[in-house]
Amino acid sequence: MNNKNRLLIFTALAVYGFLYLPLLIVVVYSFNDSKLNAEWVGFSLKWYDKLFHNNEILSAAGNSLIIAGISALVATVLGTLAGMAMYQYRLKVLPGLVLAPIAMPDILMGVSLLLFFIMLNMSLGLISIILAHITFCIGFVALSVQARMSGIDRSLTEAARDLGANPWQCFRMITLPLLAPGILAGALMAFTLSIDDFVVTFFVAGVGSSTLPLQIYSMVKIAVTPEVNAISTLLMLLTLILITLVARLSPGALRS
Amino acid sequence: MISKSWQQRLLTLPPLGYLLVLFAIPTLIMLFASFRYTGEYGGLAPWYAYKDGGLTLELTLENWQRLFETDIYLRLFVKSIGYAVFTTLLCILLGYPLALMIARSPRKHRDLLLLLVILPFWSNFLVRIYAWMILLSPNGAVTQLINSIRDVFGLAPVSLMYSASAVIICLVYVHLPFMVLPLYANLEKHSSALLDAAQDLGANRWRRFWNITWPLSLPGVYAGSILVFIPVLGMFAIPDLLGGTDGVMIANVIKQQFVESRDWPFGSVLSMVLTAAAVLVVLLGAKFGRQGGR
């Protein structure tokens, strides 16, 4: 069209390139038949094969799935309650407490929870990681549910009440089904956040309870190997699927 | 029938209780820990003791005094704030054209274009850092490219890995979506009638941008800046993996106090200063955001 628009589109495309090229390189080199992430030698699946025979990585992946599953489940229940409460009532303390963990740098939550668990004489491991992950997931579920609540027509619940439904029936048969996409989107987001978290986990994980991001960190600290590319690619694939689902279920949820 | 207040309690109390115990109380414990002594083997010493038959408190201001004994920590804070400011400005520079392009593209394409910005943000944080470890390594594409350009001008090759520039590049890369999303949310709402009117009155492109689009988008710029500035200020993984000794930030020292030196009281002092800085930025941002919104 005109120059300004061309310049704008060109810059925007360049920024998309900046966002995607680094990730593309990780994926491409995961299939490279060379130990170095420097030049393309030939196609190979050997790094994936190595990955599936690495017991440390497999047990870390198992831990990550357990942690993400339980954290997402509990955070979804608590976050849904919080989201509904924040929409229905004028509250002062709860919205602040729900948003603060999202707003503060992760490292602060990591070190303060470390102090907290040690003070309680709790041993660090799966349980401390799960408790920590629930804390930072609640807010994301709450925001997703709150956004969905504001899209529900209030006259539907009022009609149900007029027709004699008690609050529980009204919740179960009207609000919950309408809310479901928001809840599910929040749950998937919580699962993704948990499986991806590095910073908080770094502080509250004890010896012998490694997760995938912790495993990647310790591998990367020692040396850059294509095995890391292979886990990274699989992890990206998982995230891609989950986030596409969230985007389908509740387009607004990801923007908050 | 369940009364209204019972319903409210049922919804509010479980999340409230959880977050009080696992967020508010740990923060208070950290504040308290900043006044305690370091234990014999690191960690924390008991905060009370029985001496001469009475109970005495074992608390101190020493940890806070240590903050000001040398200028190391203050300089590190200033340096980290400098990194955060620089990263925020670069994110505005790169994110604004992208957000504007999405906001002005046909409505049916917007969701997809926006999803393309969100996707890399949701891919694993360490994977995104790792990608730059590959690109910035001596044999990496970016290093090769820059050095071949330098070669044309007869300049000696440089190493990018383990430097402040490596840290800034990666900080921008990781936080860019935080800038684009609030900017887009703001730009999307602008009415094109304003721009059309300005054009009819003879304003050229740049005047239309600087006099209309930019001032109206300021709330989005402030929101995006807060979302970028705060996590950057508390970042330790990027300087840890890409920064070497040059690129150290304040959160690296916090991590060092908690993990390597096990000086938890002093680590708590640094964390409390970081908390205060983050709260201050949120409050300032809220204030400016409100003014800009008018």
Side-chain angles (χ1 to χ4, degrees):
Chain A
M1 220 160 64
N2 54 42
N3 283 331
K4 165 87 195 271
N5 275 349
R6 262 193 221 144
L7 184 71
L8 185 66
I9 289 173
F10 178 76
T11 321
L13 286 179
V15 176
Y16 274 123
F18 173 66
L19 285 174
Y20 279 92
L21 284 179
L23 296 177
L24 197 67
I25 284 182
V26 173
V27 175
V28 168
Y29 280 135
S30 77
F31 297 108
N32 190 11
D33 194 11
S34 158
K35 239 185 135 99
L36 299 169
N37 277 306
E39 55 179 345
W40 181 257
V41 177
F43 182 85
S44 157
L45 285 174
K46 71 174 176 193
W47 304 112
Y48 290 89
D49 186 55
K50 251 188 129 171
L51 204 63
F52 285 105
H53 290 97
N54 185 331
N55 284 329
E56 269 178 44
I57 288 176
L58 290 179
S59 86
N63 284 343
S64 279
L65 287 174
I66 295 170
I67 293 164
I70 300 176
S71 309
L73 194 71
V74 180
T76 302
V77 175
L78 293 173
T80 302
L81 295 176
M84 289 174 64
M86 276 156 59
Y87 175 75
Q88 282 177 0
Y89 310 107
R90 276 209 193 137
L91 300 165
K92 279 191 187 136
V93 186
L94 187 65
L97 265 180
V98 164
L99 294 176
I102 301 177
M104 289 286 118
D106 296 344
I107 188 172
L108 295 172
M109 189 190 286
V111 296
S112 63
L113 282 172
L114 170 68
L115 289 172
F116 175 73
F117 291 138
I118 295 294
M119 199 198 73
L120 292 180
N121 277 327
M122 249 182 79
S123 60
L124 299 176
L126 290 187
I127 294 180
S128 61
I129 300 175
I130 290 169
L131 288 172
H133 283 199
I134 294 168
T135 314
F136 66 73
C137 287
I138 289 178
F140 287 86
V141 181
L143 290 177
S144 171
V145 169
Q146 194 187 11
R148 182 84 196 173
M149 282 292 278
S150 52
I152 293 179
D153 190 350
R154 273 193 181 213
S155 59
L156 287 171
T157 48
E158 278 160 20
R161 296 300 297 277
D162 287 346
L163 293 168
N166 66 35
W168 170 245
Q169 282 172 326
C170 179
F171 170 75
R172 246 214 49 183
M173 301 170 99
I174 310 285
T175 314
L176 194 60
L178 288 170
L179 215 51
I183 297 175
L184 197 57
L188 290 171
M189 260 199 282
F191 189 87
T192 317
L193 283 167
S194 168
I195 218 157
D196 273 346
D197 178 73
F198 163 68
V199 177
V200 175
T201 317
F202 178 79
F203 290 100
V204 300
V207 191
S209 55
S210 191
T211 64
L212 270 185
L214 289 184
Q215 195 67 35
I216 294 178
Y217 178 75
S218 61
M219 287 170 82
V220 163
K221 265 264 165 188
I222 301 164
V224 171
T225 75
E227 235 180 314
V228 178
N229 296 50
I231 325 178
S232 305
T233 304
L234 290 178
L235 209 52
M236 270 193 269
L237 193 67
L238 179 67
T239 313
L240 184 73
I241 294 167
L242 290 169
I243 291 307
T244 317
L245 279 176
V246 175
R248 278 274 165 94
L249 284 166
S250 162
L254 290 171
R255 287 177 212 168
S256 52
Chain B
M1 217 178 103
I2 312 175
S3 72
K4 192 109 194 173
S5 73
W6 254 108
Q7 214 177 319
Q8 180 170 350
R9 265 180 232 164
L10 200 70
L11 288 177
T12 316
L13 286 182
L16 190 70
Y18 193 93
L19 290 169
L20 274 177
V21 173
L22 277 118
F23 182 76
I25 291 179
T27 306
L28 292 176
I29 288 175
M30 193 164 72
L31 178 64
F32 185 60
S34 72
F35 296 103
R36 288 171 67 174
Y37 287 100
T38 316
E40 213 174 318
Y41 306 104
L44 298 168
W47 57 275
Y48 55 86
Y50 290 102
K51 268 186 199 156
D52 313 321
L55 189 73
T56 54
L57 289 179
E58 299 278 313
L59 298 175
T60 173
L61 283 172
E62 268 172 28
N63 307 308
W64 285 90
Q65 283 160 356
R66 236 181 98 188
L67 193 62
F68 303 100
E69 267 167 19
T70 64
D71 60 355
I72 296 175
Y73 302 108
L74 292 179
R75 275 166 64 175
L76 208 55
F77 263 108
V78 171
K79 183 182 162 195
S80 306
I81 290 171
Y83 277 26
V85 169
F86 196 51
T87 305
T88 308
L89 291 176
L90 283 174
C91 282
I92 296 175
L93 209 62
L94 290 177
Y96 207 105
L98 185 57
L100 197 60
M101 193 275 275
I102 300 175
R104 291 191 180 167
S105 56
R107 195 165 283 277
K108 57 179 178 180
H109 295 158
R110 284 185 204 165
D111 276 345
L112 179 68
L113 288 171
L114 202 63
L115 187 66
L116 284 175
V117 177
I118 296 167
L119 276 180
F121 159 69
W122 283 92
S123 69
N124 188 282
F125 168 62
L126 283 174
V127 172
R128 284 178 288 159
I129 303 176
Y130 175 67
W132 283 97
M133 292 177 77
I134 297 175
L135 288 169
L136 297 173
S137 71
N139 293 321
V142 173
T143 312
Q144 298 272 348
L145 180 72
I146 286 178
N147 281 335
S148 61
I149 294 170
R150 285 178 70 94
D151 195 43
V152 173
F153 295 99
L155 295 164
V158 284
S159 158
L160 293 172
M161 196 62 175
Y162 307 123
S163 68
S165 17
V167 174
I168 300 275
I169 293 173
C170 197
L171 284 172
V172 171
Y173 180 69
V174 166
H175 296 94
L176 188 57
F178 287 118
M179 182 61 79
V180 177
L181 296 184
L183 268 180
Y184 166 78
N186 173 286
L187 289 169
E188 184 200 33
K189 284 184 283 187
H190 291 198
S191 150
S192 60
L194 283 173
L195 293 174
D196 291 343
Q199 191 169 15
D200 291 345
L201 293 168
N204 66 25
R205 287 189 193 104
W206 285 106
R207 276 200 70 182
R208 291 204 299 270
F209 178 76
W210 284 114
N211 290 347
I212 298 173
T213 310
W214 174 255
L216 281 176
S217 70
L218 281 178
V221 174
Y222 292 137
S225 300
I226 294 172
L227 291 181
V228 172
F229 189 91
I230 291 177
V232 170
L233 198 60
M235 177 61 62
F236 82 88
I238 291 174
D240 195 47
L241 292 169
L242 290 168
T245 42
D246 270 0
V248 173
M249 292 174 72
I250 192 67
N252 294 87
V253 182
I254 294 179
K255 176 215 158 201
Q256 191 201 343
Q257 297 299 328
F258 275 95
V259 179
E260 284 108 32
S261 338
R262 285 182 57 81
D263 188 341
W264 291 4
F266 190 58
S268 301
V269 168
L270 295 174
S271 303
M272 287 317 297
V273 178
L274 183 58
T275 309
V279 171
L280 196 70
V281 171
V282 172
L283 292 178
L284 276 178
K287 190 165 173 258
F288 277 113
R290 227 173 286 137
Q291 282 171 352
R294 273 182 208 146

